Amino acid sequence: MKKYAFLLGALLALAGCSKQWNDLVPEKSDPQIIAFDIEGQVSSTINFDRKTVYVVVPTGTDLSELTVTKFIVTEGVTCDPAIQAGDQIDLSSDMSIVLTAYFDFYEWTLHATTQDKAGPAPADVSQLYNMSFDSWSRQGSSRVWVPYAEGATDVEKATWGSANGTTQPMGYVTVSPEETFLAVSGEGKKALKLQTQGMSLLMGMIKKLAAGSIFNGYAGSIDVLKMSAKIYWGIPFTRRPKTLQGYACYMPGTIDWSQEPYKNKEGELDNAHIFVVLADWETPFEVSPPEKLLDVENDPGIIGYGKVVFDRKMEAYEPFRLDITYRNNRSPKYIAIVAASSVLGDFFTGSSSSVLYLDEMKFTY
């Protein structure tokens, strides 16, 4: 009898502790391959949606003797068979590997082909183009930095818009690639650098603050006198991710540029943010700071939303996780990821020395 009483007491104790235990257990997300490179490769494409890695190597390469130079999976995940940098693997036929997390198993496929036989890598509709921020080029007479590679398709070029088209021709670069300070290093790797700038134009007659900002969408017409532009948030996207994850490093300054109604913010530490909006708008949403902004609380088209604010100085990259909360069961038509090095940049308020670095972003489902 004492034995049963003890067991009952133990079960009740566990039940009473269940909330605290659940609070300590992180929410599950599918384990993923974050990086996979082969020595001498032409390219390596990770398709999170299909759980496939598609590697292209030079013509004539022996696919049965390929050397792995990089293999990174989600933290806490085990891989069978175990693979690490320096291993030699046989990809003359597709190789299946199993990633394990929280007693769940996920099968991934490694596929390799030579350049003379390679077709286009399967499109991954669960992620957006260049969420790693590795691809950059310069465009136009002003050689403006744009977050897409030379030879990018029209769809890829339309993925990310930025403030650079307005600020860089005036001599102020607010959005640029970072090649040395990275969360994940390696050949060809880059990060995103967003830098708030205090701009003085026409011999000081016009002074405005410009936050470094990037977003899914495009910039429209510019009002030179107001130093503002119409911005259109949103690109086609129909998936419902649970989180946006990545790495961030924020180096804020003290707010030294301000405008009403935020003049009282001068002297405070600047903040940065990144947020995600999923909506079923009929067209991309027009923003005209500071007069016309998105009403996140009341916009009926918004299906899901999540936000992270960076409000302190970081010494190095730190992982961030943005949870997306859904308000209904509708399917999205558009997505907009928006990041800015000064939260109040839409109101020309912030620090002219604030810098936000972002790297290796991805959705989880």
Side-chain angles (χ1 to χ4, degrees):
M1 190 70 180
K2 288 182 179 179
K3 179 179 179 181
Y4 293 116
F6 173 79
L7 288 173
L8 178 61
L11 289 171
L12 290 172
L14 286 172
C17 292
S18 62
K19 183 178 187 300
Q20 290 88 337
W21 171 251
N22 288 337
D23 289 345
L24 295 175
V25 177
E27 182 180 340
K28 292 193 298 182
S29 60
D30 290 1
Q32 297 175 341
I33 297 174
I34 298 173
F36 182 85
D37 289 341
I38 291 294
E39 184 176 42
Q41 69 183 31
V42 175
S43 64
S44 178
T45 303
I46 299 175
N47 188 315
F48 297 98
D49 196 35
R50 300 188 182 189
K51 293 181 172 56
T52 301
V53 180
Y54 185 86
V55 180
V56 179
V57 294
T59 301
T61 301
D62 184 353
L63 298 181
S64 67
E65 296 182 357
L66 299 177
T67 301
V68 178
T69 58
K70 182 182 295 184
F71 183 71
I72 303 173
V73 297
T74 309
E75 186 176 358
V77 169
T78 60
C79 176
D80 183 23
I83 298 175
Q84 59 184 359
D87 287 353
Q88 196 169 76
I89 60 175
D90 181 357
L91 293 184
S92 56
S93 59
D94 287 355
M95 178 179 182
S96 293
I97 61 174
V98 176
L99 303 184
T100 304
Y102 302 104
F103 305 104
D104 290 329
F105 303 90
Y106 299 83
E107 185 174 357
W108 279 66
T109 301
L110 306 182
H111 174 86
T113 188
T114 53
Q115 195 169 14
D116 58 320
K117 299 178 181 178
D124 184 4
V125 297
S126 69
Q127 307 291 325
L128 301 180
Y129 169 73
N130 201 25
M131 293 179 73
S132 64
F133 300 114
D134 292 334
S135 297
W136 292 83
S137 57
R138 288 182 180 269
Q139 301 295 321
S141 58
S142 299
R143 305 295 291 159
V144 173
W145 280 115
V146 291
Y148 56 79
E150 294 284 355
T153 66
D154 289 342
V155 171
E156 292 169 342
K157 291 178 181 179
T159 302
W160 296 101
S162 79
N164 256 11
T166 304
T167 63
Q168 190 167 336
M170 299 176 185
Y172 298 91
V173 180
T174 55
V175 179
S176 60
E178 172 59 40
E179 299 187 45
T180 56
F181 180 56
L182 307 173
V184 177
S185 60
E187 184 178 353
K189 302 299 290 181
K190 296 181 181 65
L192 167 67
K193 180 180 180 181
L194 302 177
Q195 183 170 1
T196 302
Q197 300 265 17
M199 301 192 302
S200 180
L201 306 169
L202 297 179
M203 300 183 68
M205 294 176 62
I206 298 177
K207 292 186 177 182
K208 289 287 185 180
L209 184 88
S213 65
I214 195 166
F215 51 88
N216 297 135
Y218 62 97
S221 59
I222 301 170
D223 188 323
V224 178
L225 293 179
K226 292 183 178 181
M227 285 302 298
S228 64
K230 289 184 178 181
I231 299 170
Y232 296 88
W233 285 348
I235 59 172
F237 192 75
T238 58
R239 300 297 298 271
R240 289 170 60 104
K242 291 181 179 178
T243 73
L244 174 69
Q245 298 183 16
Y247 296 90
C249 181
Y250 189 43
M251 300 177 182
T254 300
I255 294 176
D256 53 0
W257 290 64
S258 64
Q259 186 170 299
E260 293 294 355
Y262 295 107
K263 293 290 290 183
N264 63 327
K265 294 290 185 179
E266 284 206 28
E268 297 183 9
L269 192 68
D270 205 0
N271 289 183
H273 66 180
I274 180 169
F275 64 86
V276 176
V277 176
L278 291 119
D280 58 2
W281 302 317
E282 290 303 318
T283 60
F285 187 89
E286 179 189 326
V287 181
S288 301
E291 289 83 9
K292 185 178 181 180
L293 301 171
L294 179 64
D295 185 350
V296 172
E297 297 298 325
N298 300 304
D299 189 310
I302 294 179
I303 292 169
Y305 178 77
K307 180 178 180 179
V308 169
V309 175
F310 307 106
D311 57 4
R312 60 181 174 82
K313 183 178 180 181
M314 301 177 183
E315 300 297 331
Y317 278 99
E318 298 179 13
F320 74 85
R321 170 183 170 137
L322 183 158
D323 293 305
I324 301 172
T325 301
Y326 288 91
R327 303 174 181 179
N328 50 60
N329 294 321
R330 303 199 308 263
S331 296
K333 294 181 180 178
Y334 289 95
I335 189 169
I337 303 174
V338 181
S341 52
S342 293
V343 166
L344 296 175
D346 286 340
F347 298 91
F348 309 107
T349 298
S351 170
S352 56
S353 61
S354 291
V355 180
L356 173 64
Y357 296 94
L358 295 172
D359 201 3
E360 300 297 325
M361 296 199 314
K362 62 182 177 67
F363 293 125
T364 66
Y365 290 83

